[in-house]
Amino acid sequence: MNETEFHQLVDVQMQIIEEMIDDSGADIDYETSGNVMTLEFEDRSQIIINRQEPMKEIWLASKSGGFHFSLIDNHWTCSKTHLELITMVKQECEKHCDEEIEWV
């Protein structure tokens, strides 16, 4: 995958995350600046999601630690947990909110 394809694929994931949060109605603020998306919660805790161009990965940092996602069979998959990015984002958001979120 070249750099342009990488950015297009990551942009799609970031858009999915934004829409997922908007549709959930959860009290999560998000902001994207450059290559970094910051999710902020009521208690001021954060999840940071950023694109790592040199490795062609997406990185996620949260209360649970740091996670690296590579594109495997058209899915952004975590090297530690083997979960998909969207699944991990949902799980980590629920940990930060300390409650279940109704994901649409």
Side-chain angles (χ1 to χ4, degrees), residues 2-102:
N2 66 35
E3 206 169 295
T4 301
E5 292 169 329
F6 170 73
H7 285 289
Q8 289 172 341
L9 291 167
V10 174
D11 287 345
V12 167
Q13 291 301 296
M14 297 299 195
Q15 184 67 38
I16 289 169
I17 293 168
E18 289 178 9
E19 290 173 2
M20 183 175 85
I21 290 168
D22 287 342
D23 292 345
S24 75
D27 189 14
I28 304 170
D29 294 324
Y30 60 85
E31 179 181 5
T32 302
S33 179
N35 291 336
V36 179
M37 174 185 274
T38 303
L39 310 182
E40 188 166 331
F41 300 84
E42 193 174 338
D43 66 357
R44 307 296 245 172
S45 66
Q46 296 181 335
I47 293 175
I48 308 295
I49 303 168
N50 66 322
R51 57 184 89 203
Q52 292 295 317
E53 293 177 51
M55 283 73 71
K56 302 278 192 287
E57 293 181 339
I58 299 174
W59 289 6
L60 182 149
S62 72
K63 288 180 178 181
S64 300
F67 304 92
H68 299 186
F69 297 82
S70 299
L71 191 62
I72 301 170
D73 296 329
N74 290 324
H75 300 283
W76 289 99
T77 305
C78 180
S79 60
K80 286 183 189 176
T81 65
H82 305 289
L83 294 173
E84 289 185 41
L85 175 64
I86 299 302
T87 301
M88 286 279 303
V89 170
K90 289 177 179 179
Q91 286 180 359
E92 293 305 309
C93 284
E94 289 180 356
K95 287 179 187 176
H96 281 259
C97 287
D98 199 27
E99 65 183 20
E100 278 191 40
I101 297 171
E102 291 291 325

